Amino acid sequence: MIISIETSTSVLSISLLNKESVINHISVPFKNELSEIIVPTIKMFLQDSLISFCDVSFLAVGCGPGSFTGIRSLISTASGITISNNHIKSIGINSLAGLAMSALHEAKNLKLKYIISSIDSKKDDLFLQLFQINNTKNKSLPILAKTNIDAIKIEKLNNYFVINALTSKNVLFVGHQSSVAEKKIDNLHISKNLKQYPDSLGVGKLASCIISNKISIKNNIFSFDKFKPIYF
C-alpha cells in the first residue's frame, strides 16, 4: 500500500492507496501549527484506516514548490518515518505534477492537450509548470513535463502562453488564482475541481503510476528516491 502526504499550501492532506484504488483520504487546514499536528494526524489516520506502518510499502510526499514551512515540516516527518520503518520506500513527488495529476481526468474528458498547474509562492507570484497529456497506452507516465518550474506574476500569464506557443482552447488551468487566469486569457479552460491546490490524492496516484509501470524513481522529472525540498 501507498501513503501519500501533501502540505505545500495551508492544507495537510493524507491518502491511503492500494495500487490506484483510494482506501482513505483526509484534508486538515492548518495555519502555523503544522509541526505540532502532523505526527498525531498521521497516527490517527493510520488508526482510522485500521493499518500500521508495517502494512505500508511506499511513502510518497509532495516536495513542493510551495510553503517553505509546510514542505520542511513534512520532509522532516517523512524522513523520520522511513528511518524508523526501513522497509518503506521513499518517493518524493513534484507537487505541481501531483496537482496536474488531480486534473488529468477532467482534461481528458475535455479532449485537451495541456495542463498548467499553479501554486501560490507566497511572494506575490505563482509557481507554474506546463504538462502535456500522454495519451499513449504504453507503460509510461500519463503526463509529460513540457517546461521547468517558473515563478511569474499573474499579469505575465499572456507572455507565458506566447513563449510556450499555447492556445487557450488546448489548455486546462488548475490551481492558485485560476479565476484570475480565466479573466486574463480568453476562452481558457479552468478546472472545476473544488480543491484548487496540491492534494495527496494527486501525489499518490502519480506515485502509483510510477510504481505499477516500473518507472525508475531516480530517472524521471517528477520523482526522487529521497525526500528533498523543491525551493525557489
Side-chain angles (χ1 to χ4, degrees), residues 18-29:
N18 186 4
K19 296 184 178 179
E20 292 190 27
S21 298
V22 179
I23 299 171
N24 198 3
H25 174 262
I26 63 168
S27 294
V28 181

Side-chain angles (χ1 to χ4, degrees), residues 6 11 13 15 25-27 98-99 195 197-204:
E6 177 62 89
V11 176
S13 65
S15 297
H25 174 262
I26 63 168
S27 294
L99 181 56
K195 296 178 179 177
Y197 52 82
D199 185 84
S200 58
L201 278 176
V203 169

Side-chain angles (χ1 to χ4, degrees), residues 74-123:
L74 174 54
I75 288 179
S76 175
T77 301
S79 298
I81 291 170
T82 53
I83 289 170
S84 301
N85 302 272
N86 56 18
H87 68 283
I88 298 178
K89 295 180 180 177
S90 306
I91 306 180
I93 296 288
N94 170 353
S95 294
L96 285 162
L99 181 56
M101 192 72 183
S102 70
L104 178 63
H105 183 69
E106 184 179 6
K108 282 188 170 183
N109 283 345
L110 292 170
K111 295 181 169 55
L112 302 179
K113 189 174 181 181
Y114 299 106
I115 299 171
I116 293 177
S117 294
S118 168
I119 296 176
D120 185 5
S121 73
K122 305 295 184 181
K123 297 178 182 177

Side-chain angles (χ1 to χ4, degrees), residues 4 18 30 33 37 57 70 92 98 145 154 176 199 209 225:
S4 57
N18 186 4
F30 65 88
E33 76 281 16
I37 68 168
S57 299
I154 190 68
H176 185 62
D199 185 84
C209 285
D225 60 345

